[in-house]
Amino acid sequence: ILATDKRLKNNDKRLKGVKASCYKEGGMYKYTYGESTDYNAILRKKKEVAKKFGQAFVVAFIDGKKVNTNEAIRIYKEKKQK
């Protein structure tokens, strides 16, 4: 939902009251909202947070490592079919 070169406090006004998680990538602190192994649940979360962060998009992690979102969707669909 947000990226900055400095770590923000939980109550920073730039987070607009959203309880966000943070990870560091390439010298930037990147803030995310919501997590689930259910892609449909994540789409609902994205729609919810887009009211405050219109530029919000989905990122995917597998075992704590950021991965290509399309690859994560493929894996999700394969597991759902089993």
Side-chain angles (χ1 to χ4, degrees), residues 10-73:
N10 291 338
N11 62 349
D12 191 287
K13 66 182 178 181
R14 290 172 281 185
L15 294 173
K16 302 177 183 180
V18 171
K19 186 176 180 183
S21 299
C22 178
Y23 69 97
K24 191 171 183 182
E25 180 180 61
M28 297 292 289
Y29 292 93
K30 298 188 176 186
Y31 290 83
T32 62
Y33 172 74
E35 63 180 72
S36 177
T37 57
D38 181 335
Y39 182 65
N40 295 314
I42 287 300
L43 289 180
R44 289 190 295 274
K45 286 283 189 185
K46 178 187 173 283
K47 185 177 180 180
E48 176 185 323
V49 80
K51 294 172 186 171
K52 292 185 177 185
F53 296 92
Q55 80 286 6
F57 57 92
V58 175
V59 293
F61 293 85
I62 296 177
D63 297 327
K65 181 181 176 191
K66 187 175 172 187
V67 297
N68 178 285
T69 304
N70 290 328
E71 178 68 9
I73 292 168

